[in-house]
Amino acid sequence: MDEVIISKAIVESYIKDLLEAMELDVAIVGAGPAGMTAAYYLAKEKVKIAIFERKLSVGGGVWGGGMMFNKIVVQPEGKEILDEFGITATEYQKGYYVANAVEVASTLCSLAVKAGARIFNLISVVDVVIREADRVSGLVLNWSPVSMANLHIDPLAIRSKLVIDATGHDCEICHLVTEKVGGKLRTTTGKIIGEKSMWAEVGERQVVENTKEVYPGLIATGMAATAVFGSPRMGPIFGGMLLSGKKAAKLAIELLKKG
Ligand code: 48F
């Protein structure tokens, strides 16, 4: 085996993928449960997508379950998605199903990738590109270690017809739109309202209701949708993340069709 051939294989195939990802139908920021579920449903419909994930590992907040007990709970609607994904969920008591957080994270990732999603880990989205009548039409990327090492290195940009903010509690892309661009979100105040204290029942319902186009070209999903619209957090029940990711994919497909 030749080390240089190995190195060329890695660099050439990575660059090919990255070049392909520079013109997307949908760019997803964050490879947590909501982002990966959206990616799976979009890739399955042959939509050209990529996920950009800041961390080395994908899965976001799934791995640790509740307080590091690596189990998650879903309700019957969430269980339907786990069933579709072939993830084991056992009934704890009527209406409550328990799944292994590690199986959920790894299976979601595997399904999304096998459906055709490209996942770029170790890349942070640091800005948005705004064009044509205040519409998000791209993302600005940099290697995550650049900010960790506080290096002064300029980023690169990609173009995308739609962006999905799946960055979790911090709703980072929506923050960029309000803070850097002065954009008005489709909330009651035009701003990010901020996540409220834990209430599983309401949080799970509202995270799906709040999965919307929050700004032209920008859809919020998962905890980002919760934070933007000011709903309660729900804790380690994850059906809402899956259902929100699925709804984000459906909405993106509808918006792409409208053009
Ligand atoms: O936090 P995360 O898992 O978001 P989610 O899909 O799910 C939330 C649940 O995990 C949990 C919960 C449910 O009960 O409360 O918290 O809504 O995944 C978000 C991912 O986005 C990445 C981050 O590293 C994480 O993996 N991320 C955040 N900001 C950026 C980013 C950014 N600017 N660029 C790239 N990735």
Side-chain angles (χ1 to χ4, degrees):
M1 297 305 285
D2 184 311
E3 295 79 2
V4 174
I5 296 176
I6 295 168
S7 304
K8 281 184 174 174
I10 289 171
V11 173
E12 269 184 33
S13 58
Y14 188 92
I15 295 296
K16 186 169 167 280
D17 277 0
L18 188 58
L19 284 172
E20 289 250 345
M22 286 197 165
E23 308 262 1
L24 293 171
D25 290 326
V26 183
I28 301 172
V29 191
M36 287 201 293
T37 304
Y40 166 74
Y41 283 109
L42 285 165
K44 202 166 134 257
E45 297 304 316
K46 306 283 171 245
V47 178
K48 193 179 177 201
I49 59 149
I51 309 184
F52 299 97
E53 166 55 51
R54 167 181 290 149
K55 295 196 175 145
L56 176 59
S57 61
V58 297
V62 174
W63 300 102
M67 216 179 107
M68 293 199 224
F69 298 97
N70 64 359
K71 303 281 183 189
I72 62 155
V73 169
V74 295
Q75 63 283 69
E77 297 83 353
K79 166 129 185 343
E80 280 177 27
I81 296 190
L82 292 185
D83 288 345
E84 183 186 341
F85 291 172
I87 296 171
T88 308
T90 47
E91 192 175 53
Y92 176 70
Q93 73 179 56
K94 196 171 173 353
Y96 296 78
Y97 298 87
V98 181
N100 177 330
V102 174
E103 184 185 352
V104 173
S106 55
T107 307
L108 280 182
C109 176
S110 172
L111 284 175
V113 171
K114 283 187 191 303
R118 285 197 178 86
I119 302 183
F120 296 92
N121 56 339
L122 292 167
I123 292 186
S124 294
V125 174
V126 296
D127 201 352
V128 288
V129 178
I130 304 279
R131 290 285 178 286
E132 333 146 10
D134 296 337
R135 184 181 175 84
V136 175
S137 56
L139 294 172
V140 180
L141 315 174
N142 214 333
W143 297 112
S144 301
V146 166
S147 51
M148 290 162 79
N150 203 16
L151 301 175
H152 188 164
I153 297 176
D154 263 321
L156 294 174
I158 62 135
R159 196 181 349 263
S160 185
K161 291 176 191 156
L162 290 171
V163 168
I164 297 182
D165 185 343
T167 61
H169 298 257
D170 295 334
C171 55
E172 292 199 18
I173 310 309
C174 294
H175 268 293
L176 287 168
V177 167
T178 55
E179 282 156 31
K180 288 196 88 161
V181 186
K184 283 190 86 178
L185 303 180
R186 292 169 180 158
T187 61
T188 47
T189 59
K191 299 194 171 121
I192 291 162
I193 297 180
E195 178 187 303
K196 301 288 186 293
S197 292
M198 195 186 286
W199 187 356
E201 174 88 32
V202 176
E204 280 291 271
R205 178 167 32 85
Q206 291 189 353
V207 69
V208 183
E209 290 166 8
N210 291 335
T211 302
K212 294 181 192 164
E213 189 182 29
V214 286
Y215 186 81
L218 178 63
I219 295 168
T221 185
M223 286 313 290
T226 294
V228 167
F229 287 98
S231 290
R233 68 186 307 172
M234 67 294 287
I237 174 158
F238 277 75
M241 298 302 119
L242 308 173
L243 293 161
S244 168
K246 184 173 183 178
K247 182 176 170 189
K250 186 168 174 272
L251 181 58
I253 290 169
E254 285 164 13
L255 290 169
L256 287 171
K257 277 190 188 142
K258 276 193 208 156

